[in-house]
Amino acid sequence: MAGRKTTPLKDFSLGTHRCSVDLRLEKLSMVPFFTDLDEGKLTAINQQFSAAHHHADETIYHQDERATMLRVVVHGAVKLVRHTMDGKDVLLDMLQPGDYFGNFSTTGKAIYSETARAQTDVCILSIRMSNFRSLLNDYPEVAVAVLDITADRLQSSREKIRHLTTLTVKKRIAHILVMLSEKFGEQNAYGLLLQLPLSRKDLADMVGTSSETASRIMSDFQDQDIIKTGRQWVAISDINRLADIAKE
Amino acid sequence: MAGRKTTPLKDFSLGTHRCSVDLRLEKLSMVPFFTDLDEGKLTAINQQFSAAHHHADETIYHQDERATMLRVVVHGAVKLVRHTMDGKDVLLDMLQPGDYFGNFSTTGKAIYSETARAQTDVCILSIRMSNFRSLLNDYPEVAVAVLDITADRLQSSREKIRHLTTLTVKKRIAHILVMLSEKFGEQNAYGLLLQLPLSRKDLADMVGTSSETASRIMSDFQDQDIIKTGRQWVAISDINRLADIAKE
DNA sequence: GCACTAAAATGATCTGGCTCAATTAAGGGA
DNA sequence: TCCCTTAATTGAGCCAGATCATTTTAGTGC
């Protein structure tokens, strides 16, 4: 069968890639809240963004820093983490190209309430928060679209609260794997591969457990041929079984 | 000391109260996302709302129902609850006059994701979701205000996730009592009285524990003279101690 | 003041998942 | 191909908090 083992994940490195104006425009038009805008408006908006690259594991911004920018993922994956002083992390969200992040609320102090870290090499567009806000006033359709996305995030955040208070760790892990497969899943030889580096600790921080418990459960799933997994990668062999387990 | 024991909570019953157009207008202007509007606009908007009363414990709408209305609390308190089939409830939010509730996201099916129940007798204003959405398009300032509120709720929802995954039940209860005191606290003879009916089960559902555990912890707090509590009511004697306990 | 009801308190037991502590092995580098 | 680092696995003991079962009590209605 196989020869040398290598990670089945694709290479996220940016190499000499530079974010050209054209590429930025294309990416911006993919951002859900700009899709409805005509090209003219979009070009104008594009001017206000600037691009930046970060290597995997680099911190894009840190929790409690002054929040001045709103950002959009163009390439790669970004994770949002909240730290606690006792060393525990909570992984709030895993973002993919097209997702925005940063801080809104003008009400209250403009402080990032979480740390954003590059999960892979990433390319990020950013705009000054003040500019973005006047953008919202100029284009109501954008404001409504952003509101919809935020409302959806609130929904899934509340869903997560329900899970944390009512489901066992096993069900929560099954659930998050299904969610991740919808967002990052990519069919390949191993099954439905989650196209991002994902450690046991990441998984544990997502569902609020210890990495040891996450590991035990993943081993269990693998023994039952539900998943296939290696260092920092997970592929799902039997999504239906997983969904069944997640079902409350 | 005191003679006959009665609940120190105020009487929330509406009696013969009817929501006059004037009262509605006054209440609407208190809603955070309408405060910036001039009176003319507000009067126009007021037309689109209709008022309804519910008795304590009545369900205003039920989880999984088709979501068509957006509502605003005018009088009383409303709780948002998610049910699980195994009988566990999760209390997502406790609303007071001026707070909106219902469902936004046009994306995805318009289904209420939680049940809204009257915690006291309540008076509620409601507007058709479709009308509210065109309102958002007509008045960008409203859209931005609603976005800000929603973003804040997302924040506190994420905060709650962190608490659930990193704090002990005792700290979580201390924390929620502090939060509730900020929102519903009212100084009186007993101390800082939370001006709403609040059972051990409500408290338990808010922090994701069992009512027995909540009860034990509340007894403990009372023994330490941190709170004073009876049936469905809680008054805080020593908010600082409570805040210290909540501190991680 | 008395009786009644549902909330709250309390006791006893049990367990899912955490913690601490090694051990094993995946997969990148040269 | 071997080496090395760090992720992942696995074992054992322990405890916060759930659950089940009663008893107590607050507060309302009469």
Side-chain angles (χ1 to χ4, degrees):
Chain A
M1 270 190 68
R4 171 69 174 288
K5 281 184 221 160
T6 48
T7 180
L9 294 178
K10 76 176 180 201
D11 184 9
F12 280 94
S13 61
L14 287 158
T16 57
H17 162 85
R18 285 277 102 195
C19 228
S20 71
V21 175
D22 280 354
L23 183 59
R24 280 165 52 184
L25 201 57
E26 186 198 318
K27 291 298 180 180
L28 273 189
S29 69
M30 282 171 46
V31 176
F33 43 84
F34 291 143
T35 38
D36 290 341
L37 293 179
D38 62 57
E39 194 154 339
K41 289 176 178 175
L42 201 56
T43 311
I45 290 172
N46 189 22
Q47 313 271 341
Q48 305 190 33
F49 278 90
S50 58
H53 293 173
H54 300 270
H55 286 292
D57 279 335
E58 254 179 55
T59 296
I60 299 167
Y61 59 75
H62 203 278
Q63 171 175 339
D64 298 333
E65 253 174 50
R66 255 191 86 61
T68 51
M69 309 296 274
L70 188 92
R71 291 161 223 253
V72 173
V73 182
V74 170
H75 170 94
V78 170
K79 71 176 166 195
L80 303 183
V81 191
R82 279 194 88 119
H83 310 290
T84 3
M85 64 266 62
D86 54 344
K88 288 192 172 191
D89 291 339
V90 181
L91 209 169
L92 294 167
D93 212 342
M94 201 61 107
L95 307 176
Q96 80 185 152
D99 289 338
Y100 83 86
F101 62 113
N103 190 315
F104 273 117
S105 67
T106 36
T107 63
K109 54 270 169 240
I111 297 285
Y112 293 121
S113 58
E114 76 285 315
T115 296
R117 178 164 300 133
Q119 183 74 353
T120 65
D121 284 4
V122 294
C123 175
I124 303 291
L125 292 183
S126 56
I127 182 174
R128 297 209 125 274
M129 197 55 227
S130 50
N131 290 345
F132 187 72
R133 290 196 79 88
S134 48
L135 227 155
L136 290 181
N137 281 303
D138 297 345
Y139 307 111
E141 65 266 46
V142 174
V144 172
V146 175
L147 174 56
D148 276 337
I149 294 168
T150 309
D152 282 347
R153 286 188 185 179
L154 177 57
Q155 288 292 25
S156 56
S157 173
R158 286 179 165 178
E159 186 72 15
K160 194 162 170 180
I161 289 175
R162 204 188 88 226
H163 288 172
L164 283 169
T165 56
T166 61
L167 300 186
T168 61
V169 173
K170 184 177 236 174
K171 287 180 179 188
R172 268 141 59 196
I173 290 190
H175 196 94
I176 199 83
L177 288 176
V178 172
M179 302 280 294
L180 287 171
S181 77
E182 282 163 11
K183 193 162 179 179
F184 296 95
E186 194 178 295
Q187 202 63 49
N188 84 343
Y190 286 93
L192 190 55
L193 176 69
L194 304 186
Q195 214 23 296
L196 83 169
L198 187 71
S199 69
R200 294 294 179 263
K201 175 162 196 320
D202 287 332
L203 216 41
D205 289 346
M206 275 192 241
V207 302
T209 187
S210 63
S211 55
E212 292 94 332
T213 298
S215 182
R216 280 181 241 274
I217 289 169
M218 293 297 274
S219 297
D220 183 31
F221 285 163
Q222 189 154 32
D223 290 347
Q224 295 182 248
D225 289 321
I226 295 172
I227 61 169
K228 201 145 198 50
T229 174
R231 277 200 164 197
Q232 312 246 50
W233 62 269
V234 180
I236 298 172
S237 323
D238 192 339
I239 186 91
N240 295 321
R241 288 268 283 297
L242 216 46
D244 284 348
I245 293 171
K247 278 239 178 21
E248 323 160 56
Chain B
M1 269 193 69
R4 171 74 172 286
K5 281 184 220 163
T6 46
T7 180
L9 293 178
K10 76 176 179 202
D11 184 9
F12 280 95
S13 59
L14 288 158
T16 57
H17 162 84
R18 287 274 100 198
C19 228
S20 71
V21 173
D22 279 356
L23 182 60
R24 281 165 50 184
L25 199 58
E26 185 198 320
K27 292 299 180 178
L28 272 188
S29 71
M30 282 171 46
V31 175
F33 42 84
F34 290 143
T35 38
D36 290 340
L37 292 180
D38 61 58
E39 194 156 338
K41 288 177 179 174
L42 202 55
T43 311
I45 289 173
N46 189 20
Q47 314 271 341
Q48 305 189 33
F49 278 91
S50 58
H53 294 172
H54 300 270
H55 284 294
D57 279 335
E58 256 179 54
T59 296
I60 300 168
Y61 59 75
H62 203 277
Q63 169 173 342
D64 297 334
E65 255 173 50
R66 256 189 88 59
T68 52
M69 310 297 274
L70 189 93
R71 291 160 222 254
V72 173
V73 182
V74 170
H75 171 94
V78 170
K79 71 177 166 194
L80 302 183
V81 191
R82 280 195 86 121
H83 311 290
T84 4
M85 66 265 61
D86 55 344
K88 289 193 173 190
D89 291 339
V90 181
L91 208 168
L92 294 166
D93 212 343
M94 202 60 110
L95 307 177
Q96 83 186 149
D99 287 339
Y100 82 85
F101 62 113
N103 190 315
F104 273 117
S105 67
T106 36
T107 63
K109 53 271 166 234
I111 296 285
Y112 292 122
S113 58
E114 75 284 316
T115 296
R117 177 165 301 133
Q119 183 75 355
T120 64
D121 285 3
V122 293
C123 174
I124 303 290
L125 293 183
S126 56
I127 182 175
R128 296 210 125 274
M129 196 56 226
S130 49
N131 290 345
F132 187 73
R133 290 196 79 88
S134 48
L135 228 157
L136 291 181
N137 281 303
D138 296 346
Y139 306 111
E141 65 266 45
V142 174
V144 172
V146 175
L147 174 57
D148 277 336
I149 294 168
T150 309
D152 282 348
R153 287 189 185 177
L154 177 58
Q155 288 293 22
S156 57
S157 171
R158 285 180 166 177
E159 187 72 14
K160 194 161 170 181
I161 288 175
R162 203 187 90 227
H163 288 172
L164 282 169
T165 56
T166 61
L167 300 186
T168 60
V169 173
K170 183 176 236 175
K171 288 181 179 186
R172 268 142 57 197
I173 289 190
H175 196 95
I176 200 83
L177 288 176
V178 173
M179 302 280 294
L180 287 171
S181 77
E182 283 163 12
K183 194 161 179 181
F184 296 95
E186 193 178 297
Q187 201 65 46
N188 84 343
Y190 286 93
L192 191 55
L193 176 68
L194 304 186
Q195 208 32 287
L196 84 168
L198 189 71
S199 69
R200 295 293 178 267
K201 175 159 197 319
D202 288 331
L203 217 42
D205 289 346
M206 275 192 241
V207 302
T209 186
S210 63
S211 54
E212 292 93 334
T213 298
S215 181
R216 280 180 240 272
I217 290 169
M218 293 297 275
S219 297
D220 183 33
F221 284 164
Q222 190 154 30
D223 290 347
Q224 295 183 248
D225 289 321
I226 295 171
I227 62 170
K228 201 145 199 52
T229 175
R231 274 195 170 204
Q232 312 247 50
W233 63 269
V234 180
I236 298 172
S237 324
D238 192 340
I239 187 91
N240 295 321
R241 287 266 285 298
L242 215 47
D244 284 348
I245 293 172
K247 279 240 176 21
E248 323 159 57

